[in-house]
Amino acid sequence: MGPAGPCLEAGHRPLDHPPLFWSPQLNAAPADQIRLLDVQALDVRLSQLAHKRKSLPEHAEIESLTADLAQLRDLLVASQTEESDTAREQTKAEQDVDLVRQRAVRDQQRLDSGAVTSPKDLESLQREIASLAKRQGDLEDVVLEVMERRESAQERVTELTARVSAVQAKVDDATARRDAATQALDDETATVTKEREVVAGSVPADLLKLYDRLRAQSGGVGAARLYQRRCEGCRLELNITEVNDVKAASPDTVLRCENCHRILVRTAESGL
């Protein structure tokens, strides 16, 4: 068998890999590098605020209530239309009853006046009066049926109007709560943004530029603390060779994690 190859650890480079440093080498005072962690913390907070603003429970609540409200309004319009239609139908049926009633009154007056003397005409007039009485009864039944349908439609309109008002009140309440929560988050975002501008303004421009580029490439995290020999960006522990590389590096050297390539910031808790 040939000589054993270089030892590997999961997620790390071989032990004979060049150090963690990339060219061209970037240097920054340790205090500036630690301030970069403050910028990172503020950026994380801004991301959290943006996510919280987007995912406020009131958004889903308003969306659901608005859908219910639209459905109720459609039902209300349909019921109002039905009530209006039955109102016209009732008016028409009542007018038909009135016309038949007037005709029957006139025929009865002719019969009672004695003006009609022909037995045949008298018989014809009596048959017409009887027919009109039946016709009037049928039409009055129609009026009653239409009135019942109209009353049912009116009750439905009243019910749906109340339900629309109740749901609208819920929408207004949820909207007010969403607006208040949004305003509070916007106010905090503005405060954190100003603080971020101040802290970022104290970080060397070249270091901040590198950080911003890495943050855009690495899910919002461009700098991570080296804590107890573990990168807090990718959560992987440095192997012995990487630890020795870090120990050998100048305090001003800006290091990059071998695994996630984020800026690796040394602190008193780095475990070196």
Side-chain angles (χ1 to χ4, degrees):
M1 294 178 60
C7 178
L8 292 175
E9 292 188 19
H12 289 281
R13 60 182 172 81
L15 298 185
D16 57 356
H17 192 281
L20 295 96
F21 320 136
W22 273 254
S23 296
Q25 184 58 55
L26 180 63
N27 294 317
D32 291 334
Q33 296 186 44
I34 290 177
R35 272 195 295 273
L36 198 59
L37 293 178
D38 295 333
V39 175
Q40 177 67 78
L42 292 169
D43 282 334
V44 169
R45 182 55 184 158
L46 288 173
S47 296
Q48 292 171 338
L49 289 169
H51 175 73
K52 188 174 182 180
R53 190 184 194 279
K54 184 178 180 180
S55 57
L56 284 172
E58 286 80 7
H59 292 316
E61 182 181 359
I62 292 171
E63 183 178 356
S64 176
L65 287 171
T66 300
D68 291 344
L69 186 60
Q71 185 177 24
L72 286 172
R73 282 175 171 164
D74 288 343
L75 293 173
L76 177 58
V77 169
S79 295
Q80 289 172 331
T81 300
E82 182 182 359
E83 194 280 330
S84 178
D85 290 344
T86 52
R88 286 193 297 270
E89 190 177 347
Q90 179 181 338
T91 298
K92 176 63 170 58
E94 289 173 342
Q95 290 173 345
D96 291 343
V97 170
D98 192 50
L99 289 173
V100 171
R101 183 184 297 115
Q102 291 175 14
R103 177 68 179 273
V105 169
R106 288 196 301 271
D107 285 352
Q108 188 64 48
Q109 288 174 346
R110 287 181 64 201
L111 182 63
D112 294 341
S113 69
V116 180
T117 58
S118 168
K120 184 178 180 180
D121 290 344
L122 283 173
E123 183 181 357
S124 177
L125 186 58
Q126 288 171 342
R127 283 199 305 270
E128 183 174 340
I129 290 173
S131 176
L132 288 172
K134 183 178 184 306
R135 174 62 175 161
Q136 181 177 332
D138 292 342
L139 289 173
E140 287 173 345
D141 288 342
V142 171
V143 171
L144 289 175
E145 187 272 332
V146 173
M147 288 177 65
E148 289 176 355
R149 286 194 285 115
R150 183 183 181 188
E151 182 178 354
S152 177
Q154 288 173 332
E155 291 175 353
R156 182 68 170 156
V157 167
T158 300
E159 175 198 355
L160 287 170
T161 299
R163 290 174 64 185
V164 166
S165 297
V167 175
Q168 182 63 62
K170 291 181 179 179
V171 170
D172 293 342
D173 175 68
T175 300
R177 285 186 281 109
R178 179 204 62 190
D179 292 346
T182 298
Q183 185 60 57
L185 291 171
D186 288 346
D187 290 344
E188 185 176 355
T189 297
T191 299
V192 176
T193 298
K194 290 180 181 179
E195 184 178 356
R196 200 260 188 201
E197 291 174 355
V198 172
V199 177
S202 66
V203 176
D206 52 355
L207 179 60
L208 187 64
K209 182 178 180 180
L210 174 62
Y211 161 77
D212 285 333
R213 177 169 62 82
L214 294 175
R215 183 166 67 92
Q217 296 172 353
S218 305
V221 179
R225 182 176 62 152
L226 177 60
Y227 179 75
Q228 296 300 313
R229 302 188 177 188
R230 182 185 301 273
C231 170
E232 291 195 330
C234 58
R235 303 295 180 181
L236 290 178
E237 186 174 346
L238 274 63
N239 61 39
I240 186 61
T241 300
E242 292 168 339
V243 170
N244 289 334
D245 288 344
V246 172
K247 288 180 178 179
S250 166
D252 288 345
T253 299
V254 176
L255 304 180
R256 300 271 295 277
C257 174
E258 177 69 21
N259 183 67
C260 67
H261 295 181
R262 294 180 175 97
I263 296 171
L264 198 59
V265 180
R266 290 162 286 178
T267 69
E269 299 176 310
S270 292
L272 302 175

